[in-house]
Amino acid sequence: MTSFRFTRFATTRAALTLGVAAAALTALPANAQAQDVQEEAETTSAGGNVIVVTARRRAENLQDVPISISAFSAERLENQGALDITDLSQITPNTTLENSRGTNSTLTAFIRGVGQQDPVPGFEAGVGIYLDDVYLNRPQAAVLDIYEVERIEVLRGPQGTLYGRNTIGGAVKYVTKMLPQDFSMKVRATYGTYDQAEGVVTVSAPIGDIVRVGGTVARLSRGGFGDNLNIRSLENYNRDVYAGRGTLEIGGYDAPVLIRISGDYTRDKSDPRNGHRLIPGIRSGIPVLRDVYDTRAGLNSPEQDIEAYGLAMNIAAELTDTLTLRSISAWRKDDSFTPIDFDALPAIDVDVPALYRNEQVSQEFQLLYEGSRLKGLVGFYYLDAKASTAFDVLLFTTVPNLNAFTAGDVRTDTWSVFGDFTYDFTDQLSLSLGGRYTVDKRNSTILRQTKLGRSAEFGGTPIVLATTSNFNGQARFTDFNPRASLSFKPNTDHLFFASYSQGFKGGGFDPRGLSTAAPDLNRDGVRSEDEIFDFLSFEPETVDSYELGWKGSFANNAINLAVTGFYADYTNVQVPGSAGFDSNGDGVNDTFIGVTTNAGKAEFKGLEFEGNAVFAQEFAGSGSFLSVNATLGYIDGEYKRFIDARNIDVADLRRIQNTPKWTASGTFTGAVPAFSGMITGSTTLSYRSKTFQFETPSPFLDQEGYALWDAALIWRDDADLFSFGVNAKNILNKQYITSGYQFLATAPDGTPTRNAAGAFVPTLGTEGVATAFYGNPRQVFATATVKF
């Protein structure tokens, strides 16, 4: 089976490469302005009010797009001191982007209550992450660092009729800068608290009239926010990253065709990101540490090492005055070795050496039409991806070196056809109709073994005592998802729109499932293949989303406002989970299993507001201004049905995870000319209300509402060759939980239960697991940039 898959994968890659080459040759004679595919998101009024985006695959003013979208230009990201895409979470309504528990590079993303927290293979992302239009199939290495970025767009609600993968919750589009036509060199250096030291060097040069080559190398490092008090050589929450991008561009600008070949590489050698125990050790009595960034974790094998890289080719050409052909081809690969110490204590209790491997090949074709009244596109998307994981589960037992090994391998083969067209009945009234047909195929292998000693993946030579799962399952899922939008522009300054869209996420198999845990549903004393299949598999989920919105501009674009109300019906909700399991019937949980069910039906309704206003223009000289950016998000999400393992509906006891009811932010910015340049100062206050980490409430991990305060002061010279800035983030040094683990016995409402002695009852291991990870503390850093 493995040999067949590898051959098919390699053959597919070769075929796609030939297809791209053919597309390039076909497109070369076209007469076009192909650079629209990378249309610059530039401001056209003071303070950055008018932003051009390509959310609908054509360059449009943000205020003219009947889609719920937030856009962040490179200058605004610099003013905010944004280090990676998780920083956008504080200034985007109803959006959660955060590091996923034990690493710096794995992403947890939720938009409007829809997302996916578990990073193991087998679970599709609810929010799509795109790097220059290439969909990142897995969350590993998806926390993208911000450098040489043109803009970032956050689209809320189901996406899929316009590009890429069908994503049920929304999309985040990271767009890098096109290479300039003249020689360019840029050096950026940063130094800050916790020994933060970063350097980014970008160089590009023309080769002839239509060819440009360029690249960026980055060194991103920082000392830990805390320490590992058990393994003194390790810091906690440190950063040690090498990264780079290289680009070759042919054509573009005034040439008829743009061919953009790019590659990127990231190596993260940071120390393990270990959690902070919230309860004393149940068996050992080890007390809770005072500093929430410190840990006593004892696992450091394998050493943490994340490596990710990829190649992409984007081609765009106009075949006629109204037709444009685009091709997006990509190959990506990443490997993550990480030690996960769930209990965060020195002794082996719940220690999990882990390995993630991902590889993908994708191909997308788009044919765009832009006439006087009718505009739109048809497209085809193909993805061949393989994702695998291996875990050793090391528990405290009377048998030394006992290991519950889990290996999951998921192969995804999916293709889609999609289209979306807008017809302008008049200059004021437009109708958009779109749809997507998706075919998802899954082939999953789940191997569970009981061993003595570490597995070979982690340098051991184990003895296999028993094989408890050796499952291979295949499934095929298809769905058609429509979209419709009606927009009305009474004049050039106002847009009203109403839309309906449906999102779809395919089913699959839980790669941590255990065959011997499958229930004997017909009570014949035998676990049949069908019973095991049903226990390990889960069905697709869908969202029907409805929106009403208004966007308005006033005072010659000095004031821009956007308000959207939405309602979403979320059905067949996939709820992944893990729990301790007693595999030998001795009354003690000696391993953990994954149990994913289509337990839920949920409804979301809410409101989103975004606004910016520029006032007092030229109040202190040429180019001076004051501005305000504000956002507000409200979401009322609740489960209407949630069937638990007892086959009881506990919807009233469940909550929507990673989705605060209220999100808000306000940024005040001022700019004045000084020292042959411009000084820009800004300050941001953001707020997130109570956040539940999982569907079941946890008094340990759930984070109460909190506010963060950031500020920045940046000077740029008039020639835009030099800049120097100081940023302060989380000025009040707020401590807040972003994620965590919990393996404790609880009542159905999530209240932890205690034994007769008053101690918590562990469901895995002997010490109990209630371990939290925290957001970054106060950071202050200075950045200098020089352009040549």
Side-chain angles (χ1 to χ4, degrees):
M1 178 65 70
T2 301
S3 175
F4 168 75
R5 278 289 180 174
F6 178 80
T7 302
R8 183 169 68 85
F9 200 84
T11 303
T12 301
R13 184 186 306 167
L16 290 180
T17 302
L18 292 174
V20 170
L25 292 173
T26 302
L28 281 173
N31 182 15
Q33 296 295 323
Q35 71 270 20
D36 281 350
V37 72
Q38 292 285 338
E39 183 73 27
E40 190 169 321
E42 61 183 349
T43 60
T44 56
S45 64
N49 285 49
V50 179
I51 296 180
V52 175
V53 296
T54 56
R56 294 201 294 177
R57 320 311 291 166
R58 54 185 181 267
E60 296 178 285
N61 185 331
L62 176 65
Q63 290 297 104
D64 293 334
V65 181
I67 295 175
S68 299
I69 175 176
S70 302
F72 304 91
S73 65
E75 183 175 355
R76 185 178 177 191
L77 293 169
E78 182 180 354
N79 290 342
Q80 295 280 157
L83 300 174
D84 60 51
I85 63 172
T86 63
D87 286 325
L88 302 182
S89 190
Q90 302 298 331
I91 52 177
T92 308
N94 293 326
T95 299
T96 297
L97 302 169
E98 63 188 21
N99 299 95
S100 179
R101 297 192 281 249
T103 75
N104 290 322
S105 57
T106 300
L107 181 69
T108 295
F110 280 75
I111 294 178
R112 290 183 178 175
V114 180
Q116 177 55 51
Q117 178 163 255
D118 208 315
V120 298
F123 304 117
E124 293 294 311
V127 175
I129 307 298
Y130 291 84
L131 175 59
D132 285 335
D133 287 332
V134 174
Y135 171 72
L136 306 186
N137 184 57
R138 302 301 307 148
Q140 285 80 28
V143 179
L144 302 177
D145 295 298
I146 293 176
Y147 59 90
E148 289 307 296
V149 64
E150 181 62 53
R151 70 184 179 277
I152 299 177
E153 301 174 11
V154 180
L155 289 75
R156 297 181 291 278
Q159 308 295 323
T161 64
L162 291 164
Y163 56 87
R165 188 79 162 105
N166 194 353
T167 53
I168 193 169
V172 178
K173 295 179 58 183
Y174 184 111
V175 183
T176 63
K177 293 182 178 180
M178 280 189 63
L179 301 180
Q181 292 178 285
D182 300 319
F183 174 82
S184 174
M185 181 174 179
K186 178 180 176 182
V187 178
R188 190 188 84 188
T190 300
Y191 184 77
T193 51
Y194 299 99
D195 292 326
Q196 179 184 354
E198 300 182 356
V200 181
V201 179
T202 301
V203 181
S204 66
I207 303 176
D209 294 332
I210 63 170
V211 179
R212 301 169 298 280
V213 63
T216 298
V217 293
R219 176 72 173 105
L220 311 172
S221 67
R222 187 196 64 235
F225 300 141
D227 295 307
N228 188 316
L229 303 182
N230 179 49
I231 306 176
R232 294 291 181 171
S233 62
L234 299 180
E235 297 181 276
N236 209 24
Y237 294 85
N238 77 326
R239 252 187 131 207
D240 186 2
V241 175
Y242 293 87
R245 297 192 190 119
T247 303
L248 171 67
E249 292 179 355
I250 303 172
Y253 293 99
D254 293 329
V257 176
L258 172 62
I259 302 175
R260 197 169 193 247
I261 302 171
S262 58
D264 63 274
Y265 176 84
T266 300
R267 184 73 178 272
D268 186 348
K269 295 282 289 182
S270 307
D271 291 336
R273 190 167 176 258
N274 287 300
H276 170 75
R277 277 186 69 86
L278 300 174
I279 61 173
I282 294 175
R283 175 173 57 89
S284 65
I286 295 176
V288 173
L289 293 170
R290 294 181 60 186
D291 190 333
V292 299
Y293 297 102
D294 286 346
T295 187
R296 291 193 182 96
L299 183 66
N300 192 36
S301 176
E303 293 186 359
Q304 182 150 289
D305 190 358
I306 294 99
E307 188 175 28
Y309 42 92
L311 294 171
M313 177 184 288
N314 289 47
I315 302 171
E318 288 186 8
L319 306 178
T320 68
D321 291 341
T322 57
L323 287 177
T324 300
L325 173 68
R326 291 176 182 167
S327 171
I328 305 165
S329 311
W331 165 78
R332 297 199 63 82
K333 191 175 188 299
D334 63 83
D335 299 301
S336 299
F337 289 85
T338 183
I340 307 173
D341 194 324
F342 284 82
D343 61 295
L345 288 175
I348 293 176
D349 193 49
V350 188
D351 291 359
V352 180
L355 167 61
Y356 301 87
R357 294 189 187 278
N358 303 299
E359 188 171 7
Q360 69 176 79
V361 168
S362 62
Q363 174 62 52
E364 183 172 353
F365 293 108
Q366 300 171 6
L367 185 64
L368 295 88
Y369 176 82
E370 188 162 0
S372 60
R373 290 291 183 186
L374 181 66
K375 301 177 180 65
L377 61 83
V378 292
F380 171 82
Y381 179 79
Y382 175 76
L383 173 69
D384 189 357
K386 54 183 180 180
S388 63
T389 188
F391 298 110
D392 278 353
V393 181
L394 310 176
L395 301 176
F396 178 84
T397 67
T398 56
V399 181
N401 298 317
L402 191 65
N403 171 16
F405 173 74
T406 300
D409 184 279
V410 179
R411 310 299 172 98
T412 297
D413 188 273
T414 181
W415 61 269
S416 303
V417 290
F418 55 89
D420 199 290
F421 283 88
T422 300
Y423 184 76
D424 299 329
F425 294 103
T426 68
D427 291 341
Q428 289 78 38
L429 184 65
S430 300
L431 175 67
S432 295
L433 295 175
R436 183 187 189 98
Y437 178 74
T438 302
V439 177
D440 277 356
K441 297 179 182 179
R442 299 278 193 280
N443 188 313
S444 181
T445 299
I446 303 171
L447 177 65
R448 298 286 299 257
Q449 293 178 324
T450 303
K451 302 178 180 181
L452 283 178
R454 300 285 183 96
S455 297
E457 288 86 347
F458 308 111
T461 54
I463 299 172
V464 177
L465 302 178
T467 297
T468 53
S469 288
N470 191 4
F471 171 83
N472 183 277
Q474 299 182 24
R476 183 176 184 268
F477 309 99
T478 63
D479 203 16
F480 175 76
N481 307 117
R483 177 183 177 274
S485 175
L486 184 67
S487 58
F488 175 65
K489 293 193 68 172
N491 54 52
T492 58
D493 292 328
H494 295 275
L495 170 71
F496 298 89
F497 65 92
S499 68
Y500 163 77
S501 59
Q502 186 181 81
F504 163 82
K505 185 166 73 170
F509 304 88
D510 192 318
R512 303 155 307 173
L514 182 64
S515 298
T516 54
D520 180 13
L521 297 177
N522 59 11
R523 300 181 181 180
D524 63 355
V526 178
R527 293 183 181 89
S528 68
E529 291 185 2
D530 288 343
E531 288 171 334
I532 293 173
F533 185 95
D534 290 342
F535 179 68
L536 297 179
S537 64
F538 53 91
E539 295 298 315
E541 63 182 18
T542 59
V543 166
D544 291 282
S545 179
Y546 306 83
E547 291 186 0
L548 288 173
W550 164 73
K551 296 183 178 183
S553 297
F554 304 89
N556 193 28
N557 289 320
I559 301 173
N560 289 301
L561 305 175
V563 179
T564 304
F566 63 89
Y567 170 80
D569 185 13
Y570 192 13
T571 59
N572 227 18
V573 181
Q574 298 167 4
V575 182
S578 56
F581 181 73
D582 177 13
S583 65
N584 56 18
D586 65 357
V588 178
N589 291 336
D590 54 7
T591 186
F592 80 96
I593 61 172
V595 181
T596 299
T597 59
N598 294 100
K601 175 181 173 59
E603 290 184 358
F604 303 101
K605 49 184 177 289
L607 185 72
E608 293 163 349
F609 166 82
E610 293 182 275
N612 59 74
V614 179
F615 53 95
Q617 296 187 52
E618 314 295 331
F619 78 99
S622 177
S624 62
F625 68 89
L626 300 175
S627 71
V628 173
N629 287 74
T631 69
L632 178 67
Y634 168 77
I635 183 168
D636 179 15
E638 60 177 341
Y639 281 102
K640 295 298 185 180
R641 183 179 69 250
F642 196 111
I643 308 301
D644 69 2
R646 303 165 301 164
N647 203 32
I648 297 174
D649 189 348
V650 293
D652 290 344
L653 304 177
R654 295 296 178 259
R655 301 294 181 265
I656 307 300
Q657 64 168 270
N658 286 291
T659 304
K661 178 169 287 190
W662 292 97
T663 54
S665 70
T667 300
F668 179 81
T669 303
V672 295
F675 308 109
S676 301
M678 187 72 66
I679 293 179
T680 303
S682 66
T683 184
T684 298
L685 185 67
S686 60
Y687 173 77
R688 298 172 72 82
S689 62
K690 184 174 183 176
T691 303
F692 296 93
Q693 302 299 335
F694 301 102
E695 283 82 7
T696 302
S698 167
F700 297 115
L701 299 178
D702 295 338
Q703 174 61 50
E704 297 296 331
Y706 65 94
L708 298 178
W709 178 29
D710 301 339
L713 188 66
I714 300 173
W715 172 82
R716 300 178 179 90
D717 76 312
D718 288 333
D720 195 29
L721 296 178
F722 304 97
S723 69
F724 180 81
V726 177
N727 290 85
K729 302 178 74 64
N730 191 6
I731 294 172
L732 300 181
N733 205 28
K734 174 66 179 178
Q735 294 179 352
Y736 58 99
I737 294 173
T738 60
S739 55
Y741 302 111
Q742 180 175 312
F743 289 102
L744 295 172
T746 65
D749 66 353
T751 303
T753 57
R754 297 175 183 263
N755 59 22
F760 295 115
V761 180
T763 57
L764 190 62
T766 60
E767 297 280 16
V769 174
T771 305
F773 297 86
Y774 287 78
N776 293 5
R778 177 171 51 237
Q779 294 175 269
V780 179
F781 53 91
T783 299
T785 302
V786 180
K787 299 178 183 178
F788 300 93

